[in-house]
Amino acid sequence: MRAPTRLHIIWQDDNTLKVETDYGMQTRLLHFGNWRGRGVASLQGDSVAEWEIPRLNRGRGDPEPATGRGEQIPPPTYGDLKVITNHFSGGYLRKNGVPYSTNAELTEYWDLFKEPNGDQRIMLSTRVADAVYLSTPWVTVLNFKKETGDAKWDPTPCSSKW
């Protein structure tokens, strides 16, 4: 997803977020809940996702908010999506040949931001840890801007050519 690309993000079902890219026509499935891997390692690996919602600083000893009538308190409209992916078949981090092993672990944070003019952006922070090929974790940050409509969506197969 580091190459210039567009994302198409939809819910595949109640517990699976589907992320498609138009460059390389890749599909990632982000599974929520008590999901178990599929058994066979793959280039995409197995991704388990959870929403991380920061706790409000209420001060020492302050109880959690409650309505007193057994009503549900709506969830906050902020936080990030944390995704941990492992169970890779091995491959390359970049076209220049930097490999990753079957023991690599990818941790991602998907943060949604709204700009003052109303534009929405996703900042995707990634960290790859792999004791076999990397002496330190490999960290990247990508940004995607939300577009209206799908007029620019143009899925194109991967190419090994530069």
Side-chain angles (χ1 to χ4, degrees):
M1 292 191 353
R2 290 175 310 282
T5 191
R6 288 185 168 76
L7 303 178
H8 182 242
I9 303 171
I10 60 169
W11 285 100
Q12 178 173 293
D13 57 45
D14 289 345
N15 295 310
T16 309
L17 196 59
K18 182 177 182 179
V19 180
E20 299 171 296
T21 65
D22 67 352
Y23 178 80
M25 298 170 55
Q26 298 179 56
T27 299
R28 298 233 357 246
L29 300 177
L30 311 181
H31 303 279
F32 291 81
N34 294 324
W35 183 80
R36 300 288 179 238
R38 54 184 172 242
V40 177
S42 70
L43 290 172
Q44 295 290 339
D46 292 323
S47 299
V48 177
E50 67 177 333
W51 296 108
E52 288 193 332
I53 300 171
R55 294 180 56 95
L56 297 175
N57 184 4
R58 294 188 179 85
R60 241 184 248 159
D62 290 346
E64 294 292 324
T67 62
R69 296 181 293 252
E71 299 162 358
Q72 292 290 331
I73 297 173
T77 57
Y78 54 91
D80 60 25
L81 177 64
K82 179 180 179 182
V83 181
I84 296 180
T85 305
N86 51 35
H87 203 214
F88 293 105
S89 60
Y92 297 92
L93 294 170
R94 304 181 75 160
K95 283 187 175 186
N96 70 358
V98 177
Y100 63 89
S101 75
T102 58
N103 298 322
E105 181 173 274
L106 168 67
T107 303
E108 300 168 293
Y109 291 93
W110 297 67
D111 294 293
L112 180 63
F113 294 94
K114 194 171 206 175
E115 296 183 17
N117 67 357
D119 289 349
Q120 289 186 326
R121 293 188 183 269
I122 292 176
M123 183 174 72
L124 174 57
S125 306
T126 64
R127 178 184 184 272
V128 178
D130 184 1
V132 175
Y133 291 114
L134 302 174
S135 58
T136 60
W138 187 53
V139 178
T140 58
V141 179
L142 305 170
N143 290 281
F144 297 94
K145 181 180 176 183
K146 183 176 182 179
E147 295 177 343
T148 56
D150 60 358
K152 296 179 183 177
W153 180 255
D154 183 25
T156 307
C158 286
S159 169
S160 60
K161 298 177 185 178
W162 281 88

